[in-house]
């Protein structure tokens, strides 16, 4: 996918900057003489050549500092959470400088995080404007569910025949964590625990590449559909989805392959 190494802000499109106004915040880095050296005279915070930030939302007050080495990872995690929760809505355009101001960091880690999301297919580069959140439809979600089933169902059926019951029992705390996360009603919290459970199951196959590919597909399946309101899936639906994890463990322990096949297929179809 083509990347825009400039990243850019602008006055066109929708750049709401809701990230950072809600729960998902990244602590600010204090401006130091070291950071200011080399900045063109008169340049605003986070603004770089080719990025236009005039007319964008006001900057919130600074927040506590964070280690520089962890900034990109924290920004990426916050953006992923905002995507799943619906704070970053399909079709919206966001510029790195505006998001940087709201996170209280420089534009560089934000731009790097957005470029990573572009590689993952979550956003697309809009030259001279920033990054647009991809618009997805039900067909794409169904295709992702089909691919996940093609990859994971055979693996789980094989594991059901070979993994001893005590190993499956060790995963029960992860399954119970998904139930608690679902009960909170927070889509982002549940999505994270859901990926953790599925990753732990597939890790028993001993294939790291499988785990990575499955996690990427799983993450893509968790992004909201175009036109869906934030938190469109209610708490009851999340809880029902989570209880499928415990049912799946029971079926794996019992080596009931028919139930395993049915549960996994249904689980993917209703992916969060």
């Amino acid at each position: 996918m083509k990347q825009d190494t400039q990243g850019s802000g602008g006055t066109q499109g929708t750049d709401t900057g809701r990230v950072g106004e809600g729960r998902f915040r990244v602590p600010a880095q204090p401006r130091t003489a070291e950071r200011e050296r080399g900045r063109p005279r008169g340049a605003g915070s986070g603004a770089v050549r080719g990025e236009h930030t005039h007319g964008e939302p006001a900057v919130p007050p600074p927040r506590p500092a964070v280690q520089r080495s962890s900034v990109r990872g924290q920004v990426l995690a916050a953006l992923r959470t905002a995507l799943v929760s619906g704070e970053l809505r399909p079709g919206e355009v966001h510029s790195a400088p505006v998001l940087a101001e709201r996170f209280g960091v420089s534009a560089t880690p934000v731009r790097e995080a957005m470029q990573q999301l572009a590689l993952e297919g979550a956003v697309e580069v809009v030259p001279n404007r920033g990054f647009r959140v991809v618009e997805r439809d039900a067909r794409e979600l169904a295709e992702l569910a089909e691919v996940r089933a093609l990859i994971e169902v055979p693996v789980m059926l094989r594991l059901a025949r070979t993994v001893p019951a005590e190993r499956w029992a060790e995963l029960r705390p992860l399954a119970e964590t998904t139930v608690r996360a679902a009960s909170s009603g927070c889509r982002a919290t549940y999505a994270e625990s859901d990926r953790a459970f599925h990753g732990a199951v597939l890790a028993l196959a001993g294939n790291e590449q499988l785990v990575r590919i499955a996690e990427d597909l799983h993450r893509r399946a968790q992004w909201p559909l175009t036109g869906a309101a934030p938190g469109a899936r209610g708490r009851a639906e999340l809880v029902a989805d989570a209880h499928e994890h415990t049912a799946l463990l029971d079926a794996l322990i019992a080596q009931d392959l028919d139930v395993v096949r049915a549960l996994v297929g249904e689980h993917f179809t209703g992916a969060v």
Side-chain angles (χ1 to χ4, degrees):
M1 179 176 291
K2 181 179 178 181
Q3 296 187 34
D4 180 5
T5 57
Q6 293 294 322
S8 53
T11 56
Q12 302 179 44
T14 302
D15 191 343
T16 62
R18 278 189 298 275
V19 181
E21 291 182 347
R23 295 183 298 113
F24 310 110
R25 297 172 181 263
V26 173
Q29 290 178 282
R31 291 197 180 93
T32 64
E34 180 181 355
R35 287 183 61 190
E36 294 297 332
R37 282 199 295 270
R39 184 188 297 275
R41 180 171 299 178
S45 172
V48 297
R49 201 172 186 180
E51 294 184 333
H52 309 289
T53 60
H54 53 277
E56 297 188 8
V59 181
R63 289 180 285 275
V66 68
Q67 293 181 359
R68 294 173 66 88
S69 60
S70 66
V71 174
R72 178 184 178 279
Q74 290 189 40
V75 170
L76 180 58
L79 289 172
R80 282 173 170 166
T81 298
L83 281 167
V84 174
S85 68
E87 285 195 54
L88 291 180
R89 298 184 182 181
E92 291 181 342
V93 177
H94 297 268
S95 67
V98 169
L99 291 175
E101 294 289 1
R102 295 191 173 278
F103 282 140
V105 300
S106 70
T108 298
V110 176
R111 191 177 301 107
E112 291 174 348
M114 293 296 272
Q115 288 171 348
Q116 175 60 38
L117 291 176
L119 290 175
E120 296 175 4
V123 301
E124 57 187 3
V125 176
V126 182
N128 300 319
R129 291 173 61 191
F131 301 85
R132 178 185 292 115
V133 181
V134 296
E135 300 184 73
R136 308 168 60 244
D137 55 23
R139 177 177 178 177
E140 181 177 344
L141 187 62
E143 291 174 349
L144 286 167
E146 180 181 7
V147 174
R148 289 187 65 198
L150 288 172
I151 293 175
E152 297 189 38
V153 171
V155 174
M156 289 191 185
L157 292 176
R158 173 165 58 86
L159 292 175
R161 301 185 186 97
T162 59
V163 174
E166 57 268 22
R167 292 296 303 278
W168 293 122
E170 293 173 359
L171 301 185
R172 197 166 295 279
L174 288 176
E176 293 171 351
T177 296
T178 68
V179 175
R180 289 194 297 271
S183 298
S184 74
C186 176
R187 179 188 175 101
T189 301
Y190 177 68
E192 184 176 354
S193 64
D194 187 38
R195 288 197 310 275
F197 173 79
H198 283 270
V201 170
L202 295 178
L204 294 176
N207 187 327
E208 294 183 3
Q209 300 304 315
L210 167 68
V211 174
R212 291 176 184 174
I213 292 172
E215 181 180 12
D216 178 66
L217 291 170
H218 196 167
R219 194 182 297 277
R220 291 170 183 255
Q222 292 173 333
W223 302 330
L225 297 177
T226 300
R233 293 196 71 189
R235 180 177 302 176
E237 290 179 278
L238 295 181
V239 171
D241 193 83
H243 279 299
E244 291 177 359
H245 295 145
T246 55
L248 176 61
L249 282 182
D250 292 338
L252 288 167
I253 291 173
Q255 295 186 326
D256 191 331
L257 304 187
D258 290 336
V259 173
V260 170
R261 185 182 293 105
L263 281 172
V264 175
E266 181 180 352
H267 191 69
F268 289 166
T269 302
V272 173

